[in-house]
Amino acid sequence: MDMPVGYLDVPTSADLSRKRQLVKAIYEAMHEAYPFPDDTRIFLREWPLDSVSQNGLLGSEPARPVFMVHVPQGADTDAKRKMLKKINTAVAEAYRLPDFIIFVHEHPLDLVAVDGGLLADDHQRVEDQEEAYC
């Protein structure tokens, strides 16, 4: 597996059609900011009310969406801003919940391994990424 990889934690409320639209919009936003490699993964993790605690109270309110994305370093700050706005809009349309938060975890290639090998050791991968993000 390569990057980007995103994890969206949400309540169990969107139907399959909305989920399809949602992951397509998230993918497009992420791919625009991180065009290389085209191996973007998005995992939807749905949480029923009895599995969510807000301020120490179990089942007090639906899960507020949280998106965590693991991406390679190198994307332009303005591209990230644009991506975050698009992801926020897509999640708001799908779930209509307040206080959506996104965490962007950027990783240098010497801290990511695929099949046991560091991406930093793949010289073609390093060159291709430098070309895509510069």
Side-chain angles (χ1 to χ4, degrees):
M1 174 165 52
D2 229 324
M3 296 182 281
V5 177
Y7 301 91
L8 179 62
D9 291 288
V10 290
T12 55
S13 61
D15 63 30
L16 188 56
S17 175
R18 274 202 279 172
K19 289 182 207 179
R20 283 189 176 116
Q21 291 173 344
L22 172 66
V23 296
K24 185 175 189 297
I26 291 173
Y27 162 77
E28 289 172 352
M30 289 170 60
H31 187 67
E32 189 174 322
Y34 300 94
F36 178 82
D38 192 12
D39 187 20
T40 300
R41 318 261 174 124
I42 302 164
F43 297 90
L44 297 179
R45 301 186 293 198
E46 297 182 315
W47 299 95
L49 190 59
D50 65 357
S51 294
V52 176
S53 168
Q54 183 69 31
N55 298 327
L57 300 172
L58 187 63
S60 62
E61 58 186 273
R64 292 181 182 169
V66 175
F67 187 64
M68 290 178 280
V69 62
H70 298 272
V71 293
Q73 287 180 331
D76 177 71
T77 301
D78 286 333
K80 288 186 268 188
R81 284 186 184 105
K82 188 175 178 182
M83 174 192 78
L84 297 171
K85 286 183 182 186
K86 287 181 178 183
I87 291 171
N88 190 80
T89 298
V91 173
E93 288 175 2
Y95 290 96
R96 295 173 179 82
L97 294 169
D99 301 326
F100 176 50
I101 190 166
I102 301 172
F103 294 98
V104 178
H105 300 272
E106 293 187 313
H107 302 280
L109 297 182
D110 66 344
L111 294 179
V112 179
V114 175
D115 295 329
L118 286 174
L119 288 180
D121 293 339
D122 181 343
H123 299 292
Q124 187 62 53
R125 168 69 163 87
V126 172
E127 288 177 22
D128 290 345
Q129 181 171 316
E130 286 173 357
E131 185 178 312
Y133 297 147
C134 294

